[in-house]
Amino acid sequence: MLRTVVSLGVALALSACSPQNATTETPTPVAAEQQQTLQSGVIKKNMDLSVDPGEDFFRYVNGKWIDNLKIPADKSSYGSFTILRDESQDHVMEIIRSSSEGDFVDGSDEQKVGDFYRAYMDMDTRNALGMTPLTADIEKIEAIDSYDELARYFAYANRYGYVAPFQIGQEADFKSPENYMIYTWQSGLGLPDREYYFKDDEASQKIRDAYLKHIETMFTLAKFNAPAKSAQMLFDMERDIAELHMKKEQVRNWAANYNKVSVDELDTYMPNFPWALFLKEMQLEQLDSVVFLQSDFMKQIDALIAETSLEDWKVFLKWGLLNSTASQLSQEFDTANFEFYSKTLSGVEEQRPLWRRAVGLTNAHVGEVIGKVYVKKHFPPEAKDRMTEMVNNLLLAYKESIEQLDWMTDDTRKQALDKLSKFTVKIGYPNQWKDYSGLTVDAQDLFGNLKRSADMRYAEMLKKQGGPVWKHEWSMTPQTVNAYYNPSANEIVFPAAILQPPFFDMNAEDAVNYGGIGAVIGHEIGHGFDDSGSTFDGDGVLRNWWTETDLSEFKARTATLVDQYNQFEALPDLFVNGEYTLGENIGDLGGISIALKAYHLSLEGKQAPEIDGFSGDQRVFIGFGQIWATKYRDEALRTQIQTDTHAPAMFRANGAVRNVPEFYQAFDVTKEDELYLAPEKRVKIW
């Protein structure tokens, strides 16, 4: 399903805003008392104090940890997010174990959780079945004898998450966010991004060669005809589709990409494609319009669909089916899938334990059943109360910052403040849980469980269409270590699992928490004002609320940030893509800037305590640096640079703080330091 939520580190927009009144850092008697009763939250054993923070702040905060860490064999990278996700999985496993080992009534929540897990874990049955779970779908593909039947199968593939040349899904209408809309977007590739098919460097060519060999291996395991010849044809076909894809840097431009097409006009855009038949097959024949998010792609894929033989399409669709389900088939398919998608692309040395993969799948399909228990066990009410207070302080800091901006006119400022006042905040867990009563789960039928889960979700989608948007829904479960901003709802959401160290420490003085979860909060609020989120107003409507002068100034400031990040070299001759990561970089910069301002506000005029030898401002920055503690394999770093809207962690830490004036004061950063930027070159947006 299409999701327009923006996850932590995916797309935000804000910039440095220095507080007007600097806080004195000399401890008072009150501060001294706090020093005795509260921890600093600074993980001193991880720091490399031999590094000048102005040279490399990331290594200053995390250097010893990085040097001593050996990335686990089943990980492509390892850091704060990874550690907490493993811990969350451990907690979820305890919940699942109590369900999988018990004897519960059929249809109960416990039975569904336990049997979903058991079905995946039963590798003996999976090995015995081999390709059998795909037999009916392969027969369906082989029976395609016309382009009408091909379109019917595209609809079927969309329903069950198999690969098709374009995808279709439901989300709130960007122009009328109280109602749902059906969107289309480009698809059809087995490699992560279009550029993988065309870049001419040695590493990219090795990946293409490995992918071609992987397709042949999978076709051989599946006993498909002429595996080598079919693999080459398929690769060439994917490359043709990739050539039509919109470049990733343009995909986030919702304002430019929103193209609403009435059902009556679909034939004008795609004269060869039987839209009426396709929509009927998807049970969407009552639609009056759809939105093409990449309209040029949809126009061009129409000709490619018609010009490609049905026999070639059958190979493409069988690959889409096999590739989408390989990790749920027998051990040999699962292993072959791992060898390319994890080992080749990300450098992972061995598979995650089977139980962790089973937990991941169970979470994906019955996650809120697990979430209800997780919250009771691992999310105390006082954590939500303290988090709510921090969010309120961040919103207040944003308000003051917007009111004080010297580059924004009053007309735009009024709109920005209106949007800020309308933010919805969700913390911990949903007020209304998903209903899984219609889902049947069988411990002996993994593929049946997956299809029935897809059917349940699809029925829910059809039920929503035509009605008001379900504002109570969450796009992440409580046990997810992440956060997101949803522009069409103008909401920021913080699942329970992220509210733990190093992001949030109930036993630490507030400074490090403002640098950690405070910067995350600021980051998510900032999504509403970044290069993408700023195209939505306070009611979630996609519209331009900027004056021409202010929009021009905003773009000029963000262009400077793009240039800064383009200079970061992750590997020899591999640089961060400043344009593609712009939203995240704006968010990180705004997050730490506003978090620092909010920390100052939280002191209510009192002096910040000095703890463990660090001032309040220093601990805010160190808290920010700690959340980005991450070490990468080279393959994973290359993949992240090419496919992810997040810059690698070390650049997120260093790239943000060098634009914040208080960083220079806190750590005595001078012109001789590597991170130094002249005042006129530091980016300030919000």
Side-chain angles (χ1 to χ4, degrees):
M1 298 298 291
L2 174 66
R3 289 295 181 192
T4 59
V5 298
V6 185
S7 63
L8 174 63
V10 171
L12 323 180
L14 226 81
S15 186
C17 289
S18 57
Q20 282 190 322
N21 299 315
T23 304
T24 304
E25 299 296 340
T26 305
T28 63
V30 173
E33 181 180 346
Q34 289 177 328
Q35 184 174 348
Q36 294 171 7
T37 58
L38 291 173
Q39 301 173 9
S40 71
V42 173
I43 310 173
K44 295 186 73 172
K45 66 180 181 180
N46 288 356
M47 300 180 72
D48 186 347
L49 299 179
S50 69
V51 175
D52 183 340
E55 285 292 312
D56 188 341
F57 183 67
F58 174 80
R59 283 201 60 84
Y60 169 74
V61 175
N62 304 301
K64 284 188 177 179
W65 182 83
I66 294 290
D67 290 341
N68 294 327
L69 174 70
K70 179 177 173 58
I71 299 174
D74 64 343
K75 300 290 192 296
S76 62
S77 62
Y78 200 66
S80 300
F81 282 93
T82 324
I83 293 167
L84 291 189
R85 283 166 183 158
D86 278 356
E87 290 178 0
S88 178
Q89 276 207 332
D90 292 342
H91 293 147
V92 169
M93 185 64 243
E94 294 172 4
I95 297 168
I96 292 176
R97 184 178 292 114
S98 67
S99 296
S100 64
E101 295 177 354
D103 184 15
F104 297 99
V105 176
D106 282 351
S108 65
D109 285 350
E110 293 86 353
Q111 178 267 321
K112 291 173 182 177
V113 170
D115 283 357
F116 222 116
Y117 175 81
R118 277 199 293 263
Y120 185 89
M121 289 293 292
D122 187 1
M123 191 57 77
D124 288 342
T125 296
R126 289 168 58 181
N127 286 336
L129 288 172
M131 281 279 292
T132 304
L134 303 186
T135 299
D137 286 335
I138 290 173
E139 290 175 351
K140 184 185 288 287
I141 293 170
E142 292 290 2
I144 295 172
D145 59 4
S146 69
Y147 285 91
D148 280 358
E149 289 303 311
L150 180 66
R152 290 184 195 275
Y153 186 86
F154 287 169
Y156 177 83
N158 267 278
R159 178 170 182 150
Y160 291 107
Y162 306 149
V163 175
F166 66 88
Q167 298 292 315
I168 192 165
Q170 181 190 65
E171 186 53 73
D173 187 347
F174 296 166
K175 294 292 184 73
S176 179
E178 297 298 319
N179 305 301
Y180 285 107
M181 175 57 68
I182 296 297
Y183 295 83
T184 72
W185 68 99
Q186 60 197 18
S187 187
L189 307 183
L191 288 173
D193 178 70
R194 74 181 300 278
E195 299 306 319
Y196 277 77
Y197 294 86
F198 306 114
K199 291 185 71 173
D200 57 5
D201 60 282
E202 182 180 355
S204 297
Q205 186 58 55
K206 285 182 177 179
I207 289 173
R208 285 194 291 271
D209 292 343
Y211 179 53
L212 184 62
K213 183 64 178 176
H214 170 62
I215 300 170
E216 181 182 347
T217 297
M218 295 290 278
F219 281 179
T220 301
L221 290 174
K223 296 181 171 56
F224 290 166
N225 293 331
K229 181 180 178 182
S230 295
Q232 185 63 61
M233 185 284 299
L234 175 71
F235 180 85
D236 293 343
M237 189 174 175
E238 285 190 3
R239 186 179 56 204
D240 290 342
I241 295 173
E243 199 162 13
L244 307 181
H245 270 226
M246 177 183 286
K247 291 185 177 180
K248 60 181 180 288
E249 293 84 358
Q250 301 167 326
V251 168
R252 290 178 61 252
N253 189 342
W254 303 117
N257 294 338
Y258 182 97
N259 185 38
K260 189 174 182 179
V261 181
S262 72
V263 169
D264 293 338
E265 295 176 316
L266 288 172
D267 290 343
T268 303
Y269 280 81
M270 299 176 66
N272 298 299
F273 191 75
W275 271 102
L277 183 151
F278 176 82
L279 292 175
K280 182 177 181 181
E281 190 71 15
M282 295 205 74
Q283 299 174 262
L284 293 171
E285 58 265 47
Q286 301 303 317
L287 285 182
D288 58 11
S289 58
V290 299
V291 169
F292 287 174
L293 288 177
Q294 295 93 21
S295 57
D296 286 346
F297 172 84
M298 295 300 288
K299 292 174 184 177
Q300 294 170 325
I301 199 68
D302 179 60
L304 190 146
I305 291 171
E307 293 167 2
T308 302
S309 72
L310 291 178
E311 291 306 309
D312 285 354
W313 274 119
K314 289 178 184 180
V315 174
F316 175 92
L317 295 173
K318 284 190 287 187
W319 170 242
L321 172 66
L322 184 60
N323 201 28
S324 300
T325 59
S327 62
Q328 289 99 47
L329 291 169
S330 63
Q331 184 69 62
E332 59 181 359
F333 285 104
D334 189 21
T335 299
N337 185 72
F338 163 80
E339 288 291 324
F340 177 72
Y341 282 106
S342 294
K343 183 174 285 188
T344 299
L345 288 183
S346 298
V348 180
E349 296 172 356
E350 64 183 43
Q351 286 231 58
R352 288 180 301 153
L354 186 64
W355 73 264
R356 285 201 182 276
R357 288 176 273 151
V359 167
L361 189 74
T362 306
N363 249 332
H365 290 271
V366 288
E368 287 198 13
V369 171
I370 297 167
K372 283 190 283 188
V373 182
Y374 178 90
V375 167
K376 291 178 182 178
K377 288 178 174 285
H378 302 289
F379 189 58
E382 55 267 28
K384 186 169 186 175
D385 292 342
R386 192 163 170 190
M387 180 70 173
T388 300
E389 180 182 352
M390 291 185 71
V391 171
N392 289 337
N393 281 340
L394 264 294
L395 288 169
L396 177 60
Y398 260 102
K399 180 176 181 293
E400 290 192 4
S401 183
I402 292 171
E403 289 172 341
Q404 295 165 7
L405 289 177
D406 59 5
W407 63 269
M408 181 177 283
T409 64
D410 288 342
D411 287 344
T412 304
R413 191 190 323 274
K414 180 180 178 181
Q415 295 287 332
L417 290 170
D418 177 71
K419 178 167 187 173
L420 186 70
S421 72
K422 293 178 177 178
F423 266 77
T424 296
V425 181
K426 297 178 178 179
I427 298 172
Y429 53 90
N431 293 325
Q432 182 176 334
W433 298 97
K434 286 185 183 296
D435 178 11
Y436 297 92
S437 60
L439 177 62
T440 299
V441 178
D442 184 343
Q444 305 299 316
D445 187 13
L446 174 59
F447 268 78
N449 295 338
L450 295 171
K451 280 207 162 184
R452 287 187 290 272
S453 178
D455 286 338
M456 184 191 75
R457 295 183 184 194
Y458 199 79
E460 184 179 81
M461 185 272 283
L462 294 175
K463 181 180 179 181
K464 291 177 181 178
Q465 193 62 32
V469 168
W470 293 7
K471 296 292 183 71
H472 65 273
E473 281 195 312
W474 283 44
S475 293
M476 293 178 183
T477 62
Q479 59 271 28
T480 303
V481 181
N482 215 326
Y484 68 89
Y485 170 72
N486 181 355
S488 61
N490 196 29
E491 65 181 6
I492 48 176
V493 185
F494 305 96
I498 199 173
L499 303 179
Q500 52 187 316
F503 295 92
F504 181 66
D505 186 348
M506 285 289 291
N507 298 313
E509 192 270 342
D510 274 344
V512 77
N513 284 331
Y514 274 96
I517 196 64
V520 172
I521 296 166
H523 180 102
E524 297 307 334
I525 296 172
H527 269 307
F529 299 100
D530 69 7
D531 58 315
S532 178
S534 62
T535 59
F536 294 80
D537 69 13
D539 297 313
V541 177
L542 182 66
R543 70 174 181 88
N544 181 16
W545 46 269
W546 294 71
T547 66
E548 185 175 341
T549 300
D550 289 337
L551 185 59
S552 177
E553 178 64 22
F554 176 79
K555 289 181 177 179
R557 290 168 182 255
T558 59
T560 301
L561 203 61
V562 169
D563 291 340
Q564 286 183 18
Y565 279 79
N566 281 340
Q567 305 306 311
F568 287 130
E569 188 175 22
L571 293 170
D573 296 322
L574 181 67
F575 292 84
V576 172
N577 184 332
E579 181 183 359
Y580 190 49
T581 58
L582 176 61
E584 290 306 318
N585 302 333
I586 295 172
D588 290 339
L589 175 54
I592 183 57
S593 300
I594 302 299
L596 182 64
K597 185 178 181 69
Y599 174 63
H600 291 164
L601 290 173
S602 76
L603 294 172
E604 297 181 334
K606 299 175 184 177
Q607 294 177 333
E610 180 177 307
I611 308 177
D612 286 345
F614 298 106
S615 70
D617 280 14
Q618 286 176 328
R619 293 196 308 280
V620 172
F621 285 113
I622 291 170
F624 180 71
Q626 286 177 169
I627 68 175
W628 301 123
T630 307
K631 188 173 183 177
Y632 299 87
R633 300 184 190 278
D634 285 354
E635 297 91 339
L637 200 55
R638 184 175 297 278
T639 296
Q640 178 159 341
I641 291 286
Q642 294 185 197
T643 65
D644 203 323
T645 54
H646 306 77
M650 53 284 217
F651 304 128
R652 298 186 73 175
N654 287 343
V657 297
R658 69 196 304 231
N659 284 286
V660 183
E662 291 84 353
F663 172 69
Y664 292 77
Q665 300 160 13
F667 294 101
D668 297 323
V669 179
T670 67
K671 293 180 180 179
E672 287 70 35
D673 290 320
E674 181 69 24
L675 294 181
Y676 179 85
L677 288 171
E680 67 274 12
K681 293 185 178 181
R682 298 171 198 168
V683 176
K684 294 184 179 183
I685 302 176
W686 297 100

Coordinates of all heavy atoms in Angstrom, one line a residue, residues 107-109 112-113 364-372 430-441 452-461 463-464 470 472-474 477:
G107 N -9.1 -18.7 16.8 CA -9.7 -17.4 16.6 C -9.3 -16.3 17.6 O -9.5 -15.1 17.4
S108 N -8.6 -16.8 18.7 CA -8.2 -15.8 19.7 C -7.0 -15.1 19.2 O -6.2 -15.6 18.3 CB -7.9 -16.6 21.0 OG -6.8 -17.5 20.9
D109 N -6.7 -14.0 19.8 CA -5.5 -13.2 19.5 C -4.2 -14.0 19.7 O -3.3 -14.1 18.8 CB -5.4 -11.9 20.3 CG -6.4 -10.8 19.8 OD1 -7.0 -11.0 18.8 OD2 -6.5 -9.8 20.6
K112 N -3.7 -16.6 16.9 CA -3.3 -16.1 15.6 C -1.8 -15.7 15.7 O -1.0 -16.0 14.7 CB -4.1 -14.8 15.3 CG -5.6 -15.2 15.0 CD -6.4 -13.9 14.8 CE -7.9 -14.4 14.5 NZ -8.8 -13.2 14.4
V113 N -1.4 -15.1 16.8 CA 0.0 -14.7 16.9 C 0.9 -16.0 16.9 O 1.9 -16.1 16.2 CB 0.3 -13.9 18.2 CG1 1.8 -13.7 18.4 CG2 -0.4 -12.5 18.0
A364 N 4.6 -7.9 11.1 CA 4.1 -7.2 9.9 C 2.6 -7.5 9.7 O 1.9 -6.7 9.1 CB 4.9 -7.6 8.7
H365 N 2.1 -8.7 10.1 CA 0.8 -9.1 9.8 C -0.2 -9.0 11.0 O -1.4 -8.9 10.8 CB 0.8 -10.5 9.2 CG 1.4 -10.5 7.8 ND1 0.6 -10.4 6.7 CD2 2.7 -10.7 7.4 CE1 1.4 -10.4 5.6 NE2 2.7 -10.6 6.1
V366 N 0.3 -9.2 12.2 CA -0.6 -9.1 13.4 C 0.0 -8.2 14.4 O -0.1 -8.5 15.6 CB -1.0 -10.5 13.9 CG1 -2.0 -11.2 13.0 CG2 0.2 -11.4 14.2
G367 N 0.7 -7.2 14.0 CA 1.5 -6.4 14.9 C 0.8 -5.7 16.0 O 1.3 -5.5 17.1
E368 N -0.4 -5.2 15.8 CA -1.1 -4.5 16.8 C -1.7 -5.4 17.9 O -1.9 -5.0 19.0 CB -2.2 -3.5 16.2 CG -1.6 -2.3 15.5 CD -2.6 -1.2 15.3 OE1 -3.6 -1.2 15.9 OE2 -2.2 -0.3 14.6
V369 N -1.9 -6.7 17.6 CA -2.2 -7.6 18.6 C -1.0 -7.7 19.6 O -1.2 -7.7 20.8 CB -2.5 -9.0 18.0 CG1 -2.6 -10.1 19.1 CG2 -3.8 -9.0 17.2
I370 N 0.2 -7.8 19.0 CA 1.4 -7.9 19.8 C 1.6 -6.5 20.6 O 2.0 -6.5 21.7 CB 2.6 -8.2 19.0 CG1 2.4 -9.6 18.3 CG2 3.9 -8.1 19.8 CD1 3.4 -9.9 17.2
G371 N 1.3 -5.4 19.9 CA 1.5 -4.1 20.4 C 0.7 -3.9 21.7 O 1.2 -3.2 22.6
K372 N -0.5 -4.4 21.8 CA -1.3 -4.2 23.0 C -0.6 -4.7 24.2 O -0.6 -4.1 25.3 CB -2.7 -4.9 22.8 CG -3.6 -4.1 21.9 CD -5.0 -4.6 22.0 CE -5.2 -5.9 21.2 NZ -6.6 -6.3 21.1
P430 N -1.8 3.5 19.6 CA -3.1 4.1 19.1 C -4.2 4.0 20.1 O -4.1 3.1 21.0 CB -3.4 3.2 17.9 CG -2.6 1.9 18.1 CD -1.4 2.3 18.9
N431 N -5.1 4.9 20.1 CA -6.3 4.8 21.0 C -7.3 3.8 20.5 O -8.1 3.3 21.3 CB -6.9 6.2 21.0 CG -6.1 7.3 21.7 OD1 -5.3 7.0 22.6 ND2 -6.1 8.5 21.2
Q432 N -7.2 3.4 19.3 CA -8.1 2.4 18.8 C -7.3 1.3 18.0 O -6.6 1.7 17.1 CB -9.2 3.0 17.8 CG -10.2 2.0 17.3 CD -11.2 2.7 16.4 OE1 -11.5 3.9 16.6 NE2 -11.8 2.0 15.5
W433 N -7.4 0.1 18.4 CA -6.5 -1.0 17.8 C -7.2 -1.6 16.6 O -8.4 -1.6 16.4 CB -6.3 -2.1 18.9 CG -5.6 -1.6 20.1 CD1 -6.1 -1.2 21.3 CD2 -4.1 -1.4 20.3 NE1 -5.1 -0.9 22.2 CE2 -3.9 -1.0 21.6 CE3 -3.0 -1.6 19.4 CZ2 -2.6 -0.7 22.1 CZ3 -1.8 -1.4 19.9 CH2 -1.6 -0.9 21.2
K434 N -6.3 -2.1 15.7 CA -6.8 -2.8 14.5 C -7.6 -4.0 14.9 O -7.4 -4.7 15.9 CB -5.6 -3.2 13.6 CG -5.0 -2.1 12.9 CD -3.9 -2.7 11.9 CE -3.2 -1.5 11.2 NZ -4.0 -0.7 10.3
D435 N -8.6 -4.3 14.1 CA -9.5 -5.5 14.3 C -9.0 -6.6 13.4 O -9.1 -6.5 12.2 CB -10.9 -5.1 14.0 CG -11.9 -6.3 14.1 OD1 -11.5 -7.3 14.7 OD2 -13.0 -6.1 13.7
Y436 N -8.6 -7.7 14.0 CA -8.1 -8.9 13.2 C -9.1 -10.0 13.3 O -8.8 -11.2 13.0 CB -6.7 -9.4 13.8 CG -5.6 -8.4 13.7 CD1 -5.3 -7.5 14.7 CD2 -4.8 -8.4 12.5 CE1 -4.3 -6.6 14.6 CE2 -3.8 -7.5 12.4 CZ -3.5 -6.6 13.4 OH -2.4 -5.7 13.3
S437 N -10.3 -9.8 13.7 CA -11.3 -10.8 13.9 C -11.6 -11.6 12.6 O -12.0 -12.8 12.6 CB -12.6 -10.3 14.5 OG -13.2 -9.3 13.7
G438 N -11.4 -10.9 11.5 CA -11.7 -11.6 10.2 C -10.6 -12.4 9.6 O -10.7 -13.0 8.6
L439 N -9.5 -12.5 10.4 CA -8.3 -13.2 9.9 C -8.2 -14.6 10.4 O -8.3 -14.8 11.6 CB -7.0 -12.4 10.2 CG -5.7 -13.1 9.9 CD1 -5.5 -13.2 8.4 CD2 -4.5 -12.3 10.4
T440 N -8.1 -15.6 9.5 CA -7.9 -17.0 9.9 C -6.4 -17.3 9.8 O -5.8 -17.1 8.7 CB -8.8 -17.9 9.1 OG1 -10.1 -17.6 9.3 CG2 -8.5 -19.4 9.5
V441 N -5.8 -17.9 10.8 CA -4.4 -18.2 10.8 C -4.3 -19.7 11.1 O -4.9 -20.2 12.1 CB -3.6 -17.4 11.8 CG1 -2.1 -17.9 11.9 CG2 -3.7 -15.9 11.5
R452 N -4.5 -14.7 3.2 CA -5.7 -14.3 3.9 C -5.4 -12.9 4.6 O -6.4 -12.1 4.7 CB -6.1 -15.4 5.0 CG -6.7 -16.6 4.4 CD -7.2 -17.6 5.4 NE -6.1 -18.2 6.1 CZ -5.5 -19.3 5.8 NH1 -5.9 -19.9 4.6 NH2 -4.5 -19.9 6.5
S453 N -4.2 -12.7 5.0 CA -3.9 -11.4 5.6 C -4.0 -10.3 4.5 O -4.6 -9.2 4.8 CB -2.5 -11.4 6.2 OG -2.1 -10.1 6.7
A454 N -3.5 -10.6 3.3 CA -3.6 -9.6 2.2 C -5.1 -9.4 1.9 O -5.5 -8.3 1.6 CB -2.9 -10.1 1.0
D455 N -5.9 -10.5 1.9 CA -7.3 -10.3 1.6 C -8.0 -9.4 2.6 O -8.9 -8.6 2.3 CB -8.0 -11.7 1.5 CG -7.7 -12.5 0.3 OD1 -7.3 -11.9 -0.7 OD2 -7.8 -13.7 0.3
M456 N -7.7 -9.6 3.9 CA -8.3 -8.8 5.0 C -7.9 -7.3 4.8 O -8.8 -6.5 4.9 CB -7.8 -9.3 6.3 CG -8.4 -8.6 7.5 SD -7.6 -9.0 9.1 CE -6.1 -8.0 8.9
R457 N -6.6 -7.1 4.5 CA -6.2 -5.7 4.3 C -6.9 -5.1 3.0 O -7.3 -3.9 3.0 CB -4.7 -5.6 4.1 CG -4.0 -6.0 5.4 CD -2.5 -5.8 5.2 NE -1.7 -6.3 6.3 CZ -0.4 -6.1 6.6 NH1 0.2 -5.3 5.7 NH2 0.2 -6.5 7.6
Y458 N -7.1 -5.9 2.0 CA -7.7 -5.4 0.8 C -9.2 -5.1 1.0 O -9.7 -4.0 0.6 CB -7.5 -6.4 -0.4 CG -7.7 -5.7 -1.7 CD1 -6.7 -5.0 -2.3 CD2 -9.0 -5.9 -2.4 CE1 -6.9 -4.4 -3.5 CE2 -9.2 -5.3 -3.6 CZ -8.1 -4.5 -4.2 OH -8.3 -3.9 -5.4
A459 N -9.8 -5.9 1.8 CA -11.2 -5.7 2.1 C -11.4 -4.4 2.9 O -12.3 -3.6 2.7 CB -11.8 -6.9 2.9
E460 N -10.4 -4.2 3.8 CA -10.4 -3.0 4.6 C -10.2 -1.7 3.7 O -10.9 -0.7 3.9 CB -9.3 -3.0 5.7 CG -9.3 -1.9 6.6 CD -8.2 -2.0 7.7 OE1 -7.0 -1.7 7.3 OE2 -8.5 -2.5 8.8
M461 N -9.3 -1.9 2.7 CA -9.1 -0.8 1.8 C -10.4 -0.4 1.1 O -10.8 0.8 0.9 CB -8.0 -1.1 0.9 CG -7.6 0.0 -0.1 SD -8.5 0.1 -1.6 CE -7.8 -1.3 -2.5
K463 N -13.4 -1.0 2.0 CA -14.4 -0.4 2.9 C -14.1 1.1 3.2 O -15.0 1.9 3.3 CB -14.3 -1.2 4.3 CG -15.2 -0.7 5.4 CD -15.0 -1.5 6.6 CE -16.0 -1.0 7.7 NZ -15.8 -1.8 9.0
K464 N -12.8 1.4 3.2 CA -12.5 2.8 3.4 C -12.8 3.7 2.2 O -13.2 4.9 2.4 CB -10.9 2.9 3.6 CG -10.4 2.4 4.9 CD -8.9 2.5 4.9 CE -8.3 2.0 6.2 NZ -6.8 2.1 6.1
W470 N -9.7 7.4 8.1 CA -9.6 6.9 9.5 C -8.4 7.6 10.2 O -7.3 7.1 10.1 CB -9.4 5.4 9.4 CG -10.6 4.6 8.9 CD1 -11.7 5.1 8.3 CD2 -10.7 3.2 8.8 NE1 -12.6 4.1 7.9 CE2 -12.0 2.9 8.2 CE3 -9.9 2.1 9.3 CZ2 -12.4 1.6 8.0 CZ3 -10.4 0.8 9.1 CH2 -11.6 0.6 8.5
H472 N -7.7 7.6 13.2 CA -7.1 7.0 14.4 C -6.0 6.0 14.0 O -5.3 5.5 14.9 CB -8.2 6.1 15.1 CG -8.8 5.0 14.2 ND1 -9.8 5.2 13.3 CD2 -8.4 3.7 14.1 CE1 -10.1 4.1 12.7 NE2 -9.3 3.2 13.2
E473 N -5.9 5.7 12.7 CA -4.9 4.7 12.3 C -3.4 5.1 12.5 O -3.1 6.3 12.4 CB -5.1 4.3 10.9 CG -6.2 3.4 10.6 CD -6.1 2.8 9.2 OE1 -5.9 3.5 8.3 OE2 -6.3 1.5 9.1
W474 N -2.6 4.2 12.8 CA -1.1 4.4 12.9 C -0.5 3.6 11.8 O -1.0 2.5 11.4 CB -0.6 3.9 14.2 CG -0.8 4.8 15.4 CD1 -1.9 5.4 15.7 CD2 0.2 5.1 16.4 NE1 -1.8 6.2 16.9 CE2 -0.5 6.0 17.3 CE3 1.5 4.8 16.6 CZ2 0.2 6.5 18.4 CZ3 2.1 5.3 17.7 CH2 1.5 6.1 18.6
T477 N 3.6 0.1 14.3 CA 3.2 -0.5 15.6 C 3.9 0.1 16.8 O 5.0 0.7 16.6 CB 3.4 -2.0 15.6 OG1 4.9 -2.3 15.5 CG2 2.7 -2.7 14.4

